Amino acid sequence: MFDKLKDLKNLNHLKDKVEDLAEAHGEKISEGLEKVGGFIDGRTGGKHSGTIDTAVDKAQVLVEKLGDKKA
């Protein structure tokens, strides 16, 4: 039972770390997501551009939300 509480504490600590990183480096993360999306789009010959763009956009929104939680 106490092991689960310890794991929950570790998860909260990890969540806090992720939020800190998103707040401090959100722009760089967003730029990286764009680059990765462009790379994948190029490797797939543009066949999945819409899906890739949607995934990148959603990931960028998530990073922005995580960064905003700490602000």
Side-chain angles (χ1 to χ4, degrees), residues 8-69:
L8 185 59
K9 183 179 177 184
N10 288 337
L11 285 176
N12 284 331
H13 177 70
L14 180 61
K15 180 180 158 266
D16 290 341
K17 285 280 211 183
V18 170
E19 289 173 349
D20 289 342
L21 286 170
E23 180 182 19
H25 304 288
E27 285 295 319
K28 287 184 181 183
I29 295 169
S30 184
E31 290 171 13
L33 289 167
E34 284 288 337
K35 286 182 181 180
V36 168
F39 174 77
I40 294 170
D41 193 35
R43 296 292 289 187
T44 60
K47 293 179 192 174
H48 307 285
S49 293
T51 304
I52 293 166
D53 289 342
T54 300
V56 168
D57 290 344
K58 287 182 179 186
Q60 288 173 325
V61 168
L62 178 61
V63 168
E64 184 178 335
K65 285 181 182 179
L66 286 170
D68 288 346
K69 286 184 179 182

Side-chain angles (χ1 to χ4, degrees), residues 1-13:
M1 179 175 162
F2 291 111
D3 289 337
K4 288 183 181 181
L5 290 175
K6 184 178 179 184
D7 289 342
L8 185 59
K9 183 179 177 184
N10 288 337
L11 285 176
N12 284 331
H13 177 70

